[in-house]
Amino acid sequence: MSLFSSAGFRSLPLPIGQLSLAAVLNCGQSFRWSCHPLACADSKSQASPNDTSNEYRLCLQDRVICVAQNNKELLYRAIFPQTPICEGSSAQALRDGETLSFIRDYFQLDQDLLKLYEVWGENDATFRNLKDRFSGLRMLRQDPWETLVSFICSANNNISRITKMVQNLGIHFSEPLALPSSQTNNQKYHPFPPPSALAPTSVADKLRELGFGYRAKFIQKTAEMLMEEHGSDAEIFKWLNSLRSRPTDEARAELLKLMGVGRKVADCILLMSLDKPEVVPVDTHVFQIAVKYYGFKGGSGSKLTMTPKLYDDITAKLVSIWGSYSGWAQTVLFTADLKAFANYNLPVAPSADQDTPVKRTISMLPTPSPSPSPKKRKRTSATASSALEVTSITTQESELLEDYGIQRRLRSRKVTSSVITSSNLSLSSGSPT
DNA sequence: TTATCACCTTAG
DNA sequence: TAAGGTGATA
């Protein structure tokens, strides 16, 4: 794609059914990506939830990650702070390798989403009715600290306000990167602030001024608690990351100690940043979905009250249907129920021989279809096959990565969820160190 | 174990 | 009044 390569993008072969950026980055998993129209000819196409003419950007600690896509490729690049002129090409190659490494990790490209959709569809008529309209919805593997703070913000809140709040955290508590203005249109990009920046008592007042409401205290207290417990940002990050290799229940219990973290928020953090793909956060949307499609009673009258026991019951039921990647399946149903996605356009299936996106309007979830009796239903064992492994990297890139030991690191990434069997990980588990 | 309430703010 | 809840109390 000359358009993309001229803009400095590198390409990764990836069917859009494996990842829809527009869906994934707007469905309330992450709140810090910004969307930029690509300066290309195609002005006739209006911005739509699945269009492929946008670039999405996320500011990390040392660079801005940029991604875009078409039907067959994921395009990626990074913008770096201005550095002394004398940088060699090997330094550039190293940074490219790091960027690719981040992309593969963050989007969890080792997971074959098409396979998961297939299995969920086989076992669940409700999912079957949605899967074609909401393809490419996968779980991100986000930074645990950012996820923790973002989801404390999510209590009693909506996506657009959460997004503003999280943006404000960056603007007011973290210095922007010194990026070349030529590449950023003078826009500022702030990394997510570390715990030490949010721990001072004065932060609570500041956050309140910024409209965080009662969550202001939760965020400051949680940051303070973690600083007291672990002493430094580095130790906090280390500890949070260590939760990835602990059993779900233990990791959840740790999170629940933090101020502003209840069961639902804890489960979001587990699912979205701590490698617990089976966890199903039950929010009001999922609760209503459970009532509408999976045989749960919504309390008496119009009031629907969530109790801990009901929460557990719903989780258990959904896991019995969707299996070990239930949290991933939940995201598809959740997104389908979002008003913002009511007019979601069907991404172009690579197999379909048409070049233009098919517009299809839907109005929320389809009507319930009779579900098989629980006893007759096959138990789902959503496997984690890795069809994308290696083949999604070009030879050149592969060599590049080997040069810097990045493939090795990728392969050895520990997938710790107890429900994943070793046979499912044949490719990604390569050589656990 | 479950049920209420207060809590910040905004959109519909 | 509800929005992707939590914490405190009964």
Side-chain angles (χ1 to χ4, degrees), chain A residues 277-292:
Chain A
E278 79 281 13
V279 171
V280 181
V282 181
D283 52 41
T284 65
H285 283 257
V286 173
F287 184 25
Q288 287 170 42
I289 288 167
V291 170
K292 197 169 174 185

Side-chain angles (χ1 to χ4, degrees), chain A residues 394-412:
Chain A
T394 65
T395 311
Q396 193 184 7
E397 283 166 333
S398 184
E399 286 167 294
L400 175 71
L401 292 175
E402 279 298 358
D403 283 346
Y404 295 98
I406 288 169
Q407 287 261 35
R408 196 164 301 118
R409 251 188 290 150
L410 279 172
R411 281 202 219 95
S412 67

Side-chain angles (χ1 to χ4, degrees), chain A residues 74-100:
Chain A
L74 180 64
L75 295 313
Y76 66 93
R77 66 185 182 119
I79 303 170
F80 290 92
Q82 276 155 330
T83 48
I85 333 133
C86 58
E87 249 186 15
S89 62
S90 72
Q92 179 59 40
L94 174 60
R95 298 197 302 192
D96 284 348
E98 289 169 347
T99 298
L100 175 58

Side-chain angles (χ1 to χ4, degrees), chain A residues 98-116:
Chain A
E98 289 169 347
T99 298
L100 175 58
S101 175
F102 172 83
I103 299 274
R104 290 171 54 84
D105 184 75
Y106 185 86
F107 291 104
Q108 313 212 63
L109 297 183
D110 287 344
Q111 294 299 333
D112 186 346
L113 191 64
L114 300 178
K115 272 249 166 58
L116 290 171

